[in-house]
Amino acid sequence: MRAVVRHEYGTADVLVVDEVPVPRPGRGEVLVRVDAAGLDRGAWHLMAGDPPAVRLALGLRRPRDPGVGSELAGVVVAIGPGDRSGLRIGDVVLGAGLATFAEYAIAKTTALCRRPSDLDAVAAAALPVSAVTAHQAVVDIARVTDGQRVLVIGAAGGVGAYAVQFAASCGAVVTAVSRRDKHAAVRDLGASAVVDRERVDPRDWGVHDVVIDIGGRRPLAQLGRLVARAGALVLVGGEGGRGPLGGTSRQVGAALRSPFLPFRARMFVSTVTTRALAPVVEAVADGRVRPVVDRVVGLGDVASGVSALEAGSLVGKVVVVPDAPTETA
Ligand SMILES: NC(=O)c1ccc[n+]([C@@H]2O[C@H](COP(=O)([O-])OP(=O)(O)OC[C@H]3O[C@@H](n4cnc5c(N)ncnc54)[C@H](OP(=O)(O)O)[C@@H]3O)[C@@H](O)[C@H]2O)c1
């Protein structure tokens, strides 16, 4: 089968399309024919081996598994031994998988849910990691309620585009922080107000009941000034930074300092499970949330999609469709 692989850590230019064997599902796993696969920033971190601490798990000098991609929508074509999940060959699913930028990919049965017939594969593939993360941040952790003032930093990105929608659907008054060229898009997703992060000083971003930092680059002290007393700060992203933990060291610092702060400060690592996918699929079905796809690329154009992610030019997600034609030479 064809798959996007990388044999060393790096940015978009380490990616190539190669012929590789179709993987075999183990216990608790299924093989999925990939109809579409979303690109999320977490997959980029694994591709790049950044922060360095992830290399302890993935391979110190080079990645042991060359595959890339974590989200998928497709059809179950083989089931691992001893399966008790109830999934059947031919089931149409979405969820998280391994090395999903390929014609076939392995997924744990516990990380999949059935895809409703009116949700197409491209839209479904734009949901799993990003929308589940946004739902967990807004609903489970911040517990956003009607009328609250919610600031979403990184509002136009993969997670942010859903965080804005979930917060607005909870009845919050959402202020979206993004580059100015994305303001029309974030208003369209439900933001009542917008802030141009490149031109407006963070001291003028206002005070909010809930601050959800997805951009992941702001110092904790700066974020703290944006949170109302007894409010909540949810740290989703962790970018930049030095040392083995890179930008995630800020989240660890916030967790340690949380008991001494006048607001709740929470970090979390999202998990895509059948149960976590359910409210996301339900929100899409009843129209509270819509999948946000910036562009669709074929396997041969994954590098250009990754470059766009690195450049910060996307609104929502890149979705990879294995049989889409390659456009770049
Ligand atoms: N905790 C978890 O379980 C979890 C799960 C998924 C993702 N994440 C993390 O969440 C972060 C975002 O993921 P994503 O998929 O949404 O990435 P993304 O699609 O690249 O979006 C990131 C957004 O951050 C904004 N941004 C860039 N520089 C910024 C800055 N200096 N200040 C404020 N905003 C800035 C960008 O928008 P503008 O340029 O328009 O501002 C961009 O839209 C990543 O760090 C990712 O690893 C964490």
Side-chain angles (χ1 to χ4, degrees):
M1 68 167 186
R2 289 181 312 133
V4 173
V5 297
R6 48 72 165 111
H7 297 290
E8 57 186 307
Y9 296 116
T11 53
D13 51 1
V14 298
L15 298 175
V16 290
V17 180
D18 209 350
E19 281 293 328
V20 303
V22 175
R24 290 160 63 108
R27 198 167 283 278
E29 296 176 339
V30 291
L31 180 68
V32 177
R33 186 198 74 212
V34 179
D35 293 331
L39 167 64
D40 71 290
R41 183 61 76 161
W44 180 90
H45 281 290
L46 300 181
M47 176 195 93
D50 173 41
V54 301
R55 301 184 188 201
L56 293 173
L58 303 179
L60 278 183
R61 296 184 57 199
R62 58 183 61 85
R64 277 188 293 274
D65 180 348
V68 185
S70 309
E71 299 176 306
L72 56 72
V75 178
V76 174
V77 293
I79 297 179
D83 181 67
R84 293 163 66 171
S85 69
L87 283 173
R88 301 266 180 273
I89 288 174
D91 278 354
V92 179
V93 293
L94 71 137
L98 299 169
T100 60
F101 298 163
E103 291 176 311
Y104 296 90
I106 297 293
K108 286 189 176 154
T109 57
T110 51
L112 296 175
C113 74
R114 289 190 174 81
R115 169 159 67 88
S117 55
D118 55 356
L119 180 62
D120 70 57
V122 167
L127 295 171
V129 174
S130 303
V132 162
T133 302
H135 183 267
Q136 290 178 345
V138 171
V139 176
D140 300 340
I141 296 181
R143 302 195 291 270
V144 170
T145 54
D146 192 24
Q148 279 192 313
R149 299 159 296 169
V150 175
L151 183 74
V152 179
I153 304 172
V159 177
Y162 296 114
V164 170
Q165 295 185 78
F166 278 119
S169 74
C170 292
V173 179
V174 181
T175 300
V177 179
S178 74
R179 275 176 12 188
R180 188 156 58 175
D181 56 317
K182 304 174 191 171
H183 282 179
V186 289
R187 278 192 186 279
D188 201 41
L189 294 170
S192 312
V194 288
V195 170
D196 179 350
R197 70 164 172 87
E198 292 175 315
R199 290 189 175 79
V200 181
D201 189 299
R203 283 171 295 198
D204 298 326
W205 291 4
V207 173
H208 306 266
D209 303 304
V210 173
V211 173
I212 301 181
D213 179 36
I214 302 165
R217 294 173 189 270
R218 302 280 163 183
L220 196 54
Q222 193 182 88
L223 295 172
R225 287 192 283 271
L226 304 170
V227 190
R229 235 185 143 69
L233 169 64
V234 183
L235 297 160
V236 178
E239 295 296 317
R242 291 163 192 267
L245 294 178
T248 59
S249 56
R250 193 185 58 131
Q251 277 128 303
V252 177
L256 294 174
R257 287 164 62 185
S258 181
F260 311 103
L261 296 170
F263 50 82
R264 283 193 296 135
R266 289 284 307 275
M267 61 164 281
F268 73 107
V269 177
S270 65
T271 328
V272 178
T273 60
T274 308
R275 180 184 282 207
L277 286 161
V280 167
V281 171
E282 198 179 297
V284 173
D286 66 22
R288 278 176 290 139
V289 167
R290 66 176 159 84
V292 186
V293 178
D294 186 285
R295 67 190 70 181
V296 174
V297 299
L299 288 179
D301 287 322
V302 168
S304 75
V306 170
S307 296
L309 181 84
E310 289 167 351
S313 58
L314 301 169
V315 173
K317 307 285 301 273
V318 171
V319 174
V320 181
V321 170
D323 57 12
T326 296
E327 310 243 317
T328 51

